[in-house]
Amino acid sequence: VPVVRMNAETAAENNITQYAKVSGERGSVTLPVVIDDLPPRVVWMPECSPGSKVRDTLGCAATQLVTLKAAEV
């Protein structure tokens, strides 16, 4: 299952608990959140995994800015 990884500070700053909506120039994906040891305000997602082609869907690649919001599924 694809997930979005971020640190606890980033999740708290965006009121994110279980799911996050990540948006780019072209679209958005909603994925389960995993709290991990990443720098603040950094998220990581697989670029291409079953059911979620992040690069194609968002229209952006690694190191580019995205919008992050809490989501419900």
Side-chain angles (χ1 to χ4, degrees):
V1 173
V3 298
V4 56
R5 295 180 182 274
M6 65 187 72
N7 73 13
E9 179 182 330
T10 301
E13 182 178 279
N14 291 280
N15 297 315
I16 294 171
T17 55
Q18 294 183 318
Y19 293 91
K21 180 177 181 181
V22 183
S23 302
E25 294 178 5
R26 207 178 289 156
S28 63
V29 293
T30 298
L31 297 170
V33 172
V34 172
I35 302 300
D36 210 340
D37 185 23
L38 292 171
R41 297 185 177 167
V42 170
V43 297
W44 181 90
M45 300 173 291
E47 283 193 19
C48 185
S49 63
S52 178
K53 295 189 177 196
V54 171
R55 179 179 276 199
D56 293 340
T57 302
L58 298 182
C60 58
T63 73
Q64 292 183 300
L65 294 177
V66 294
T67 302
L68 185 63
K69 293 184 179 180
E72 293 183 21
V73 174

